[in-house]
């Protein structure tokens, strides 16, 4: 498919799905996110040559929020090994809300069900290499910057807003500390977790990360292996089974690509290579990033989800 056709289709599909922003609202429980423009919808797709295809509000920057969970999982596995991480965090869906305390009270699992719920992500963040919060943050940010090729910044307003309202996450952290799962004190573990959520990123940066995950940890643009095939494989499994909160099953059925959402309205998606149907777009795989801050009851971008569904159906992206 010619580049001009791809651009035109993306522009049309963004406008087709813009009305779906009315199906959600910006995250109200984080004051710094509550006033985002709900009508925004943007997308960036990056192919193996580094060519980007953008439409809508594609130059906006936003905070990673829960998208950071899959990246921190990958980073920790890269630094300390997959076996080490899976000994501390499982890879099972919960059926509960991403910030629920119920699994600890009812099941007493001994470790978080997966790294994409808050309990798992706090555990993972606390185990990043380094002795202090600053050292752990620095190692993580350097890992991400190594993938995207430039520096990133913390959104201080969002960080402070989340810190002041992190009551449930603080309660989760105490449960984790009681279970001897944190490498830091409660406040320090919460601090590093919130810092990762508050990193500011662009759609193009996120699409590059999605591209690397899609290609099993290999950067096809720079032609280098960033993290192992095994880590990328588990990351994609987690994205399919747990990446879209309690809508993960429906997303897998109707969109069918590994993805991770965040309550700021971002979605990171990875489309692995698919060699049949060569007339379709992006047969060699791609990374996709979508942003629209109006989120639904499950915490996923309402319009972003619908846009990805249309793209996947039209271009046969589903891995199933």
């Amino acid at each position: 498919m010619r580049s001009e056709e791809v651009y035109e289709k993306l522009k049309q599909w963004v406008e087709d799905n813009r009305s779906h922003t009315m199906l959600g609202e910006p995250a109200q429980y984080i004051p710094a996110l509550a006033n985002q423009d709900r009508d925004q919808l943007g997308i960036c797709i990056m192919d193996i040559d580094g060519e980007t295809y953008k439409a809508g509000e594609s130059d906006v920057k936003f905070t990673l929020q829960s998208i950071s969970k899959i990246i921190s999982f990958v980073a920790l596995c890269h630094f300390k090994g997959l076996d080490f991480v899976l000994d501390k965090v499982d890879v099972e869906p919960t059926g509960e809300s991403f910030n629920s305390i119920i699994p600890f009270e009812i099941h007493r699992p001994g470790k978080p069900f997966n790294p994409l719920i808050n309990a798992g992500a706090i555990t993972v963040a606390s185990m990043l290499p380094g002795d202090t919060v600053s050292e752990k943050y620095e190692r993580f940010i350097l890992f991400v910057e190594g993938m995207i090729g430039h520096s990133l910044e913390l959104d201080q307003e969002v960080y402070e807003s989340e810190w002041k309202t992190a009551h449930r996450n603080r309660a989760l952290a105490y449960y984790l500390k009681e279970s001897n799962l944190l490498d830091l004190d409660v406040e320090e573990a919460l601090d590093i977790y919130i810092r990762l959520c508050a990193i500011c990123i662009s759609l193009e940066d996120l699409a590059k990360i999605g591209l690397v995950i899609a290609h099993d940890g290999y950067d096809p643009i720079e032609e280098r292996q960033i993290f192992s095939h095994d880590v990328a494989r588990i990351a994609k499994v987690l994205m399919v089974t747990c990446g879209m909160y309690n809508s993960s099953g429906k997303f897998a059925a109707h969109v069918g690509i590994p993805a991770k959402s965040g309550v700021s309205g971002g979605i990171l998606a990875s489309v692995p290579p698919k060699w049949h149907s060569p007339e379709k777009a992006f047969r060699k795989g791609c990374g996709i990033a979508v942003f629209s801050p109006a989120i639904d009851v499950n915490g996923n971008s309402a319009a972003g989800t619908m846009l990805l569904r249309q793209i996947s159906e039209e271009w046969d992206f589903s891995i199933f």
Side-chain angles (χ1 to χ4, degrees):
M1 180 177 286
R2 293 182 295 112
S3 295
E4 295 79 5
E5 294 180 82
V6 173
Y7 282 117
E8 289 306 314
K9 285 185 178 293
L10 282 182
K11 290 177 184 177
Q12 183 60 55
W13 293 339
V14 165
E15 295 311 312
D16 289 347
N17 287 280
R18 194 176 290 277
S19 62
H20 290 123
T21 58
M22 300 303 295
L23 299 177
E25 63 178 4
Q28 299 299 300
Y29 63 94
I30 300 175
L33 300 182
N35 295 321
Q36 293 180 108
D37 182 356
R38 64 179 298 155
D39 296 324
Q40 289 182 316
L41 175 59
I43 186 170
C44 176
I45 301 179
M46 182 178 292
D47 68 16
I48 63 168
D49 298 314
E51 183 73 29
T52 57
Y53 302 83
K54 300 179 180 181
E57 288 75 39
S58 58
D59 293 326
V60 66
K61 289 190 175 183
F62 52 95
T63 51
L64 280 171
Q65 298 304 322
S66 284
I67 297 172
S68 67
K69 295 173 181 176
I70 193 63
I71 307 173
S72 61
F73 170 78
V74 167
L76 184 61
C77 290
H78 174 71
F79 289 130
K80 295 192 175 182
L82 189 57
D83 289 342
F84 171 87
V85 180
L86 296 184
D87 186 55
K88 302 290 186 179
V89 183
D90 215 333
V91 290
E92 293 291 340
T94 68
E96 303 290 345
S97 174
F98 62 91
N99 60 356
S100 177
I101 299 176
I102 291 175
F104 287 92
E105 282 290 272
I106 303 299
H107 304 291
R108 293 288 176 177
K111 58 183 177 180
F113 278 89
N114 66 72
L116 304 190
I117 56 173
N118 289 13
I122 293 169
T123 300
V124 166
S126 79
M127 294 190 295
L128 288 167
D131 295 326
T132 66
V133 170
S134 295
E135 289 176 3
K136 291 174 185 291
Y137 178 77
E138 186 68 17
R139 290 292 297 276
F140 176 81
I141 207 78
L142 287 173
F143 176 78
V144 181
E145 289 172 351
M147 266 194 286
I148 65 175
H150 63 84
S151 61
L152 293 170
E153 295 182 354
L154 184 77
D155 187 317
Q156 192 66 31
E157 180 187 3
V158 171
Y159 166 78
E160 292 176 2
S161 183
E162 292 195 66
W163 179 259
K164 292 175 182 177
T165 57
H167 310 303
R168 181 176 288 269
N169 283 333
R170 188 168 277 105
L172 280 170
Y174 275 106
Y175 273 102
L176 295 168
K177 190 66 176 178
E178 182 188 36
S179 301
N180 297 313
L181 288 167
L182 297 183
D183 275 9
L184 297 169
D185 290 335
V186 166
E187 295 299 301
E188 292 176 317
L190 198 61
D191 189 358
I192 182 61
Y193 168 72
I194 293 174
R195 284 176 187 269
L196 304 191
C197 290
I199 293 170
C200 196
I201 202 157
S202 70
L203 285 171
E204 187 168 328
D205 295 337
L206 213 53
K208 175 63 181 298
I209 296 170
L211 178 70
V212 173
I213 294 174
H215 286 81
D216 297 328
Y218 180 76
D219 183 341
I221 300 169
E222 300 293 330
E223 298 183 338
R224 62 191 179 98
Q225 195 76 34
I226 295 177
F227 50 90
S228 76
H229 174 279
D230 286 342
V231 171
R233 178 178 58 83
I234 299 297
K236 283 182 280 191
V237 169
L238 286 166
M239 291 165 79
V240 169
T241 58
C242 311
M244 301 296 286
Y245 304 124
N246 282 5
S247 295
S248 295
K250 291 180 180 177
F251 190 88
H254 297 299
V255 184
I257 56 178
K260 181 70 195 86
S261 63
V263 296
S264 59
I267 303 176
L268 162 69
S270 296
V271 181
K274 195 172 186 178
W275 300 105
H276 66 277
S277 303
E279 72 279 3
K280 299 286 188 178
F282 303 105
R283 292 300 88 186
K284 297 180 181 180
C286 63
I288 306 178
V290 177
F291 174 74
S292 184
I295 60 173
D296 62 22
V297 293
N298 289 314
N300 301 316
S301 172
T305 299
M306 296 304 293
L307 175 58
L308 285 173
R309 178 172 179 171
Q310 182 171 10
I311 290 171
S312 182
E313 289 174 351
E314 294 282 352
W315 285 339
D316 187 27
F317 279 171
S318 176
I319 63 174
F320 301 107

